Amino acid sequence: MGTHYELRHIVGFEETNLVGNVYYVNYLRWQGRCREMFLKEHAPQVLAELRDDLKLFTLRVDCEFFAEITAFDEVAIRMRLVELAQTQLEFGFDYVRLDPGGGETLVARGAQRVACMRGPNTRTAPTRVPDSLTDALKPYQ
């Protein structure tokens, strides 16, 4: 299993800009997608709670770029748990280009801070990170 959850992605033309490299906003989209697929695969109970009254508020995202990627590059988005507090989580993301010969190149690194909240939209309040999510994240610390 390792210390990270991995989502693989092949870059499409629609994710690139006029110069031909990946448009920066896609890196943030991939963070969200990686987090969603982690929940689907490892914490489906959290998805049920999200349909009820749990909310995961993204408080902060960032991404630092080291190299460019272009259409048809294969990228591994690797998510790990950086911090687990009572009501918040911080994830780290490594974006790695997977070369056809088996090599890897770190092309970007990002982070995302998330708060757990419950209640109706006009009265949401912080809540503890659900036990099911805490348990699912233990291997990724």
Side-chain angles (χ1 to χ4, degrees):
M1 189 175 302
T3 58
H4 62 263
Y5 170 78
E6 182 173 287
L7 176 69
R8 291 198 174 191
H9 178 73
I10 296 177
V11 176
F13 284 128
E14 74 278 3
E15 296 170 303
T16 63
N17 58 25
L18 293 174
V19 180
N21 56 1
V22 170
Y23 188 60
Y24 75 93
V25 75
N26 288 299
Y27 290 84
L28 302 182
R29 286 182 48 243
W30 297 339
Q31 280 186 19
R33 181 73 173 161
C34 188
R35 187 177 84 182
E36 291 167 0
M37 291 298 99
F38 173 82
L39 292 174
K40 180 182 182 292
E41 292 175 26
H42 296 285
Q45 307 87 338
V46 174
L47 295 178
E49 290 186 61
L50 287 168
R51 286 188 276 281
D52 190 17
D53 73 338
L54 178 67
K55 296 169 179 65
L56 299 178
F57 285 0
T58 302
L59 303 175
R60 179 180 52 80
V61 296
D62 64 56
C63 195
E64 183 178 7
F65 306 98
F66 308 121
E68 293 182 350
I69 53 177
T70 59
F72 303 111
D73 281 343
E74 185 174 9
V75 180
I77 300 97
R78 296 176 177 162
M79 182 183 81
R80 68 192 174 292
L81 180 63
V82 173
E83 182 185 359
L84 173 61
Q86 288 186 359
T87 62
Q88 295 185 12
L89 304 148
E90 184 159 342
F91 299 105
F93 295 87
D94 288 338
Y95 301 83
V96 178
R97 181 178 50 234
L98 304 174
D99 301 320
E104 297 184 349
T105 304
L106 180 66
V107 296
R109 182 167 281 147
Q112 189 176 107
R113 187 146 192 98
V114 177
C116 295
M117 309 284 277
R118 288 194 187 271
N121 287 339
T122 57
R123 294 190 319 263
T124 55
T127 189
R128 287 189 162 295
V129 175
D131 290 338
S132 57
L133 182 53
T134 300
D135 293 342
L137 287 167
K138 282 181 183 174
Y140 304 97
Q141 288 182 306

